[in-house]
Amino acid sequence: MKDKLDELRSKAISELDSIDAPSDLDSWRVRYLGRKSALTQVLRGLATLPLEEKRSVGAAANELRAFLEKSLALKEESVRESEVARSIERGRLDVTLPGRPPALGRLHPATQMLRHICDIFLSMGFEVVEGPDVEWEYYNFDALNIPPDHPARDMWDTLWIDFETEDGQRPMLLRTHTSPMQIRVMESRLPPVRVIVPGKVYRYEATDATHEAIFYQIEGFAVDRNITLADLKGTLFEFAKQLFGEERKVRFRCDYFPFVEPGVEMAIDCFACNGAGCSLCSGSGWIEILGAGMVHPDVLRRVNYDPEVYTGFAFGLGVERMSMLKYGIEDIRLFYSNDLRFLRQF
Amino acid sequence: MRVSLKWLKDYVKLSVPAEELAAKLTMSGNEVGEIDVVGATWEGVSVGQVKALEKHPDADRLLLATIDIGKETITVVTGAPNLEAGQKVPFARVGTQLIDGHTGKLIKLKPATIRGIRSEGMACSEKELGISERHEGIMVLPEEAPVGMPLSQYLGDTIIDITTTPNRPDCLSVIGIAREVAALTGHEAHIPEITYEEQGAPIQDAASVEIDDPDLCSRYCASLVTGVTVGPSPQWMQQRIIASGMRPISNIVDITNYVMMEYGQPLHAFDYEQIKERKIIVRRARDDESLYTLDGMKRELNSDMLIIADATEPIALAGVMGGADSEVIDSTTSILLESANFNAGSIRRTSMRLGLRSEASARFERSISPELAPIALRRATQLLVELGGGKAARGIIDVYPGKSERKPILLTQERVDRILGVAVETERVRQVLTSLGFSSEPSGVSSELLVTVPYWRTDIRLADDLIEEIARIIGYDEIPTTMLSSGIPERAPAPLLSLKETIRDLLVGSGMQEVITYSLVSRATLEKIDPQQKLGSALRTANPMTLEQEYLRTSLRGGLLATFSANERHEEDGIKLFEVGKIYLPKQNDLPEEREALAGILGGTRLDRSWLSGEETLDFFDAKGIVETVFNRLHVEASFQPAEAQGLIPGRTAAVIVDGQQLGVLGEVHPKTAALFDISTEPVVLFEIDLEKLLPFAGAVPRYQPLPRLPAIDRDLALVVDADIAANQIQAIIRSFPLVSEVTLFDVYSGKQVPEGKKSLAFSVRYRSPQRTLTDEEVDRTQQKILEHLEREFGATLRS
Ligand SMILES: [Zn+2]
């Protein structure tokens, strides 16, 4: 009997060793561990054996059963592993094929720059306010110390609206700058104010690589007790560094805008040549980026702010110009041609 | 304005190089552009003297000129008609860079052999030296020119081109710039005394001036010079006139231009003999008057224009242009010189209306000082006497109805500090102001100054104006850099602003590209969008730069359709664009209503071309899905109802409705409209949403719903209904039943197995109760009731 069990063991193990498909494992199990298997027959037949033999054969048969079950488990494990390895081998991808992109569009570069600039000023406590594109001459000019026949009107070539009052005046226009909102905001609020105004502005101007008839401006102004030119410098220098990089040098020079006094123009050192002079900065080493100044006392008086009590600063900058400088765009007309091959670059 | 540094040196010491000077001027407000070095290429050119002229032995029209250039004497062949023995001329040795008189190109002078005689150089014309366009003859230098001196040393100059701001008429003059340079470099400006001999009777015996309209002419000064000889002005004056960017004309005209450039005061010379009754009247023109101006044009005048008249008729447009009849001509011998102060606004209006903007009008319209008039007059009279050989009458006429006292300005230390944010010592303030010609004295209170403004600074009125003077002269680098230190002011809520930004982000997240199109569109675009477009339904610009940008848009559609069309030509993939922007709706006698709008457009392949993509095209439901997603993310429940709209295909158009109100429209672009915009993609779907109507709904704050704890039971419900029944009506009814928590339409089918004129709709219905676990029987009963309801209402049957 013992010999029979030994024979069974070696036969079962050698058959098990040769199996490599999961389905063959099942028939092996039926063959050697199933109800009709030789081993099960032996175990069933134990009862008929004499006690002495029953004990020794029973122990050997049970030991063999446990051994075969363990061998099967180990074999199952190794067959599964090689099966996984085979399926991995079959499932190799060409990982260099392009991915499946999620649908995601882009913001217009002007919007991106507007947001970027607004965020910088929002972090300095400014509030975003918007105003009308179509304005009265009063807000666009007169209230800003630019009366009719003032030579400074040449600084803003104007698109007028075809609208006449009864007495033949033509007082409606497309705003030439965002500065009218200085007046509108201050007329409707008591100081202090700290506001930026993004918006479209319009010029009666032939377009070329650096001139557009329509472009975005951001106006900013702050009025309170004790605001100084030094605060203007600090605010704008911080802005320039956040936009163009910490290493940029910044300077003010005297300039004239009728609604500020003193008036300045801010420039950054040219990042193309680091101030040595190149075509981007027309050899000067400096790039003008915005106009600014201290709000003119007459402007404050016009909105019933007492200039003896309140002082403030104002600035205005062209948004596309900032994008052009930052991204190296050479033609402003690209912005509103909306060519996807351009828009997709940002 | 172009300023010759050689000329500038007459009034102020120039102790720094031109580049440094330019930088100082730029930083302080007078922006310097080009720096032009005259004579930079003149190496090898020196002053020569013609010692002898002989005929060329072999050519009648050529001469042999022997020229002394100091160290040596050279003989050259020349064809110049104007050479005379004894003349001083610029002489170029071989190897010099010259401008070719015919081609205008820079060339290197080579030795030449003409008819057997070799020339080792040549005498030059002005054009060859780059001085002017004159090339008829050799340039003749003044007698005092030192033989052998390099020409660059004798005639060289540096010209700086200054852009002056509109508030500084004084800087439109060499003396004005000299004053700036003096303040910037710490030197003093020296303005020469003006003296000349006066002869004969007082001028009042010979002429009179009346100002009828003193509001437009605050001062009128005149002098009389008789016995002048009209001819060319001396070379030094011509050079300065050319350096200033003007053309020499005659000694008389050149003198008026020269003094204008020198002092900034425009002048006019009348032929005294042509002034009837020797009477000057400054008055508004009459509407029936006209005048032939110097340029030969007949100008119709009106009562807005200020003129100079004699006893009978207009003889000049004041400050703008002289009349032809009283013009100085070669035979003129007596000059009445005018130096006046005209109203800035009047000059600007007249010169703009007539298109006659000039150096003179540019100065008048910037408000020059009336104090300048007699000073410039005396300077020009002096030059007329010296250079025109005339005799000045005794005295000048000076009518000055507009005289006003300028009060000193009180400047406090406190104000300076408060504006600049830095304490500038009173002594420093005084010193800066003095360097600019201001005088100041203590007011009696310490740290306060009473500042008297020099007459030429018409731009200074307030203490803050003085503070700018201090800042720009000490330099903005001296101002500290501080951050705003006061508290952050209260902010007003801006829901529309944040709605716009949220929508931009949602649409970008939905795969759309933002565009920004012009707010101004053409009449044609308006008509393409709406052929029934009425005049006056869009605001028009009065002076459009181009007809492409004549009207303010009343919808975003035109820009999007045009942009789609333009991109279609080069894009292979689908195009999905949106714009968030204003539309402009006219109002009666008021600014237009500016409404924030959203529009989107899409068409073409659904997926970008790749190895993964198929051939599916974007359609109505792509656009609808995007609009639904936007509303969903804003927590706004919108419904879509069949609708008709201009430019969209009927039956493929829906109104977007929220709370019974139409917020916008969504539909396929009508083939006719697509064709008008040259769009060939099909279909193209467009949507438009009025953001201001959406705004009140968009603020909704979502309410938290507890997560379901009990299981749901899902059942499918496949129905057959008439083809024209809207799916959302059926869906709404299913959802209205109790226990129904979600309804999803998962299949729409018509064709085989569905009768003609019918369609099959398959819904997945989720049943759930928050209180208890549902039984199958309960759900079956509800589903049966739903079916009965739908049968009654729509004749729906279960799909077998
Ligand atoms: Zn550069």
Side-chain angles (χ1 to χ4, degrees), chain A residues 262-315:
Chain A
V264 296
E265 174 205 84
M266 184 169 87
I268 53 174
D269 64 328
C270 177
F271 37 73
C273 65
N274 280 316
C278 68
S279 62
L280 180 65
C281 55
S282 358
S284 71
W286 292 94
I287 298 174
E288 299 161 12
I289 63 168
L290 57 83
M294 298 300 290
V295 180
H296 199 286
D298 290 351
V299 171
L300 292 175
R301 218 170 273 124
R302 210 166 277 127
V303 296
N304 294 317
Y305 284 21
D306 184 349
E308 295 303 320
V309 178
Y310 294 101
T311 52
F313 62 66
F315 57 86

Side-chain angles (χ1 to χ4, degrees), chain A residues 150 157 164 177 179 242 285 327:
Chain A
H150 193 285
D157 288 324
E164 274 193 18
H177 49 180
S179 308
Q242 288 205 31
Y327 305 130

